[in-house]
Amino acid sequence: MANKQRYSGLYPVAPTPFTSTGEIDFDGQRRVLDCMIDQGVDGICILANYSEQFLLSDEERRQLTELSLVHVAGRVPVMVTCSHFSTQVAVSRARHAAEHGAKLLMLMPPYHGAGIKLDEASIYEHFARVADGAGIPIMIQDAPLSGVTLPADFMVRIARQLPLVRYFKIEVAGTAAKLRKLIELGGEAIEGPFDGEEAITLMADLDAGATGVMSSAMLPDLICPVIEHNQAGDRKQAAKAYDQILPLINYENRQCGLRAAKTVMMKGGVIKSDHVRHPLEPLHPATRTGLLELAKSVNPLALSWGI
């Protein structure tokens, strides 16, 4: 049977804070989660690419999963990213997350370099086994990072045949067009069509029927009004609210990437360091200055939460 609870709204990605020497700042992680809840989010995604999941050890993943789920304590639903090329590892991660209270999972299709390409049958089986192992809803992350093409009709087939796999985060070129096609082909089987990429295409994606948004943790409180006005049928006010924050979102997406939320949160006293793990490099001082100037002009909660 399909999952009775439908998840929608704003589900930002929690950054993983590190000390200045690169160790996980566990107290900082708790503060990040509290700040995000105060930002008015509908849910939180952990261990995603914007959480630097590809720079974490298996033990660190386990610790962060358990810490986050204990600390959030049901205040909002938590989605745990469990992507891995190995189906066995993905199932193990998913089971662990479900056992500790995760409400949803997010996975990219299995990928490992440009030379390994799986057919649709193998990709389908990967998601089927994870769903069977975890028993909670799964969101497929359709992202260029994987290098895997997921046609809309294939995702619709997955949704119709795997009732727990009916959420889709679309962040490829032409997101709105793909969301629209996915919804048109899948109908009620598409329980959660989500917008991604830090909400840089948010208005077009809402127009296309997106019911969920996955941004960074930099300015969820300022994205909320866009979604709320849109849900109320006031597109003019939604567009006005979006226009005010789009320069900052664009700067984040095109200039900073995952480092933006950390830099704003450090400036706002949420975390002590905006360190990113090598081989990622810190923001150039000029880029940091530009980011903070734009952030100050719209004043997201993260810029003052801990001060």
Side-chain angles (χ1 to χ4, degrees), residues 1 5 11 130 215 245:
M1 294 179 64
Q5 173 70 47
Y11 276 68
V130 175
S215 67
I245 59 175

Side-chain angles (χ1 to χ4, degrees), residues 3-217:
N3 182 58
K4 292 181 180 179
Q5 173 70 47
R6 285 206 175 193
Y7 300 98
S8 62
L10 187 54
Y11 276 68
V13 173
T16 303
F18 301 112
T19 67
S20 59
T21 53
E23 291 78 32
I24 293 178
D25 178 1
F26 291 106
D27 183 59
Q29 187 72 65
R30 295 182 183 94
R31 289 172 62 80
V32 163
L33 297 168
D34 287 339
C35 177
M36 292 177 73
I37 291 171
D38 286 348
Q39 288 167 327
V41 302
D42 296 295
I44 294 172
C45 178
I46 65 170
L47 299 176
N49 294 324
Y50 257 46
S51 313
E52 295 175 74
Q53 61 90 10
F54 39 75
L55 294 168
L56 300 172
S57 71
D58 290 344
E59 176 59 17
E60 287 172 333
R61 285 184 53 88
R62 183 193 66 76
Q63 291 176 311
L64 286 167
T65 297
E66 294 178 12
L67 175 150
S68 298
L69 290 165
V70 166
H71 189 69
V72 171
R75 287 178 285 171
V76 296
V78 175
M79 178 190 306
V80 180
T81 309
C82 299
S83 301
H84 200 281
F85 182 76
S86 164
T87 302
Q88 181 175 334
V89 172
V91 169
S92 177
R93 289 178 173 181
R95 221 176 248 146
H96 176 259
E99 288 171 352
H100 286 82
K103 297 300 182 183
L104 304 96
L105 307 170
M106 183 166 73
L107 290 90
M108 285 191 284
Y111 72 96
H112 186 72
I116 300 179
K117 297 292 184 181
L118 300 177
D119 59 18
E120 288 187 357
S122 298
I123 295 171
Y124 175 93
E125 184 66 18
H126 181 83
F127 289 121
R129 292 189 188 187
V130 175
D132 184 61
I136 61 175
I138 291 173
M139 175 180 288
I140 293 179
Q141 183 178 4
D142 182 18
L145 180 64
S146 72
V148 177
T149 300
L150 294 172
D153 57 351
F154 176 49
M155 290 192 284
V156 168
R157 179 160 61 89
I158 290 173
R160 285 179 174 159
Q161 296 180 11
L162 300 175
L164 286 174
V165 192
R166 292 185 166 179
Y167 289 81
F168 301 89
K169 180 191 178 189
I170 309 300
E171 48 187 309
V172 296
T175 296
K178 192 162 189 179
L179 280 167
R180 192 171 283 112
K181 185 174 182 180
L182 186 66
I183 294 165
E184 288 173 354
L185 292 175
E188 283 299 308
I190 309 302
E191 293 184 12
F194 270 59
D195 156 273
E197 275 203 301
E198 302 76 69
I200 197 169
T201 58
L202 177 59
M203 285 301 300
D205 298 342
L206 290 175
D207 288 343
T211 59
V213 179
M214 195 172 293
S215 67
S216 79

Side-chain angles (χ1 to χ4, degrees), residues 157-285:
R157 179 160 61 89
I158 290 173
R160 285 179 174 159
Q161 296 180 11
L162 300 175
L164 286 174
V165 192
R166 292 185 166 179
Y167 289 81
F168 301 89
K169 180 191 178 189
I170 309 300
E171 48 187 309
V172 296
T175 296
K178 192 162 189 179
L179 280 167
R180 192 171 283 112
K181 185 174 182 180
L182 186 66
I183 294 165
E184 288 173 354
L185 292 175
E188 283 299 308
I190 309 302
E191 293 184 12
F194 270 59
D195 156 273
E197 275 203 301
E198 302 76 69
I200 197 169
T201 58
L202 177 59
M203 285 301 300
D205 298 342
L206 290 175
D207 288 343
T211 59
V213 179
M214 195 172 293
S215 67
S216 79
M218 183 176 66
L219 71 166
D221 54 308
L222 302 183
I223 294 175
C224 284
V226 181
I227 300 171
E228 290 166 359
H229 287 309
N230 183 77
Q231 289 175 338
D234 193 341
R235 192 183 185 284
K236 184 177 180 180
Q237 285 301 314
K240 183 178 179 180
Y242 188 57
D243 286 347
Q244 292 175 349
I245 59 175
L246 185 54
L248 178 56
I249 292 174
N250 179 74
Y251 201 90
E252 173 187 36
N253 181 275
R254 305 303 295 173
Q255 307 298 329
C256 306
L258 60 83
R259 298 166 295 183
K262 286 186 165 185
T263 295
V264 169
M265 283 188 160
M266 183 181 75
K267 184 69 174 179
V270 182
I271 55 178
K272 296 178 180 178
S273 171
D274 62 354
H275 181 90
V276 290
R277 282 185 170 174
H278 195 269
L280 297 181
E281 296 290 341
L283 288 177
H284 187 280

